[in-house]
Amino acid sequence: MNNPADRGRPAEILLVEDNDNDVELTRIGFRRTRLAVNLHHVPDGVECMAFLRKEGAYAGTPMPDLILLDLNMPRMGGREVLEAISRDEELRHLPVVVLTTSDADRDVLGSYRLRCSSYIVKPVDFENFARVVQSLTDYWFTLVVLPSDGRATDAG
């Protein structure tokens, strides 16, 4: 397997979210999982892209194993982030899970057209939110094989 725990390190997760309550719920949800997680947080898409490109204050940050992305944020929203990631050769391999309040068909379809890996509607109550975080963790860090970086290698 090629998952963070298999490589002896915590999972690096980037949460792109402007709502402080949702940030805290996500932090608590990850604390309830059995997986070691480094949860990084940025409040909008501009900061997300700086984090991913290791610009400015983010120069020493690790590349995330998974991005949790809200759609509706100030400055640069989730749709624009998905567009920027899909156009960037160094970033397009990153799995992006849209985690948002919108269940509108246009948002779901639009996100998948922009190559999101999954689309999850945020539950409104904490227990269901915590269950979503646990399921997300189990799926992405137990079942799925993740790339170690963006460079392809010949496996033979």
Side-chain angles (χ1 to χ4, degrees):
M1 286 269 172
N2 200 22
N3 290 320
D6 298 331
R7 295 190 302 258
R9 66 167 178 82
E12 301 291 343
I13 299 174
L14 177 59
L15 175 63
V16 187
E17 172 63 64
D18 64 323
N19 183 304
D20 291 338
N21 290 332
D22 288 347
V23 172
E24 190 56 28
L25 285 176
T26 306
R27 285 188 198 286
I28 293 168
F30 276 114
R31 277 189 222 125
R32 287 185 166 191
T33 69
R34 351 177 251 287
L35 182 71
V37 169
N38 287 332
L39 184 64
H40 307 272
H41 168 250
V42 293
D44 59 51
V46 171
E47 296 293 317
C48 174
M49 296 313 297
F51 186 102
L52 295 175
R53 292 176 175 145
K54 303 183 182 316
E55 298 170 345
Y58 302 109
T61 58
M63 189 59 73
D65 298 301
L66 181 68
I67 300 167
L68 302 178
L69 179 67
D70 189 21
L71 285 184
N72 301 308
M73 297 176 292
R75 299 201 308 159
M76 182 183 195
R79 291 163 201 82
E80 292 84 12
V81 170
L82 284 169
E83 287 175 18
I85 289 173
S86 68
R87 284 192 313 262
D88 190 315
E89 189 67 36
E90 297 295 315
L91 303 176
R92 71 173 54 153
H93 70 282
L94 294 171
V96 179
V97 174
V98 171
L99 185 60
T100 190
T101 56
S102 173
D103 63 355
D105 288 342
R106 65 179 162 69
D107 288 335
V108 175
L109 181 59
S111 295
Y112 280 111
R113 282 186 173 155
L114 292 170
R115 312 295 295 147
C116 79
S117 304
S118 297
Y119 191 103
I120 299 173
V121 178
K122 293 178 197 173
V124 292
D125 66 281
F126 174 71
E127 284 307 316
N128 283 327
F129 195 94
R131 254 192 298 283
V132 164
V133 170
Q134 180 65 56
S135 296
L136 193 144
T137 302
D138 288 344
Y139 177 75
W140 284 102
F141 299 108
T142 303
L143 296 175
V144 173
V145 177
L146 295 169
S148 57
D149 65 27
R151 293 179 292 274
T153 59
D154 290 329

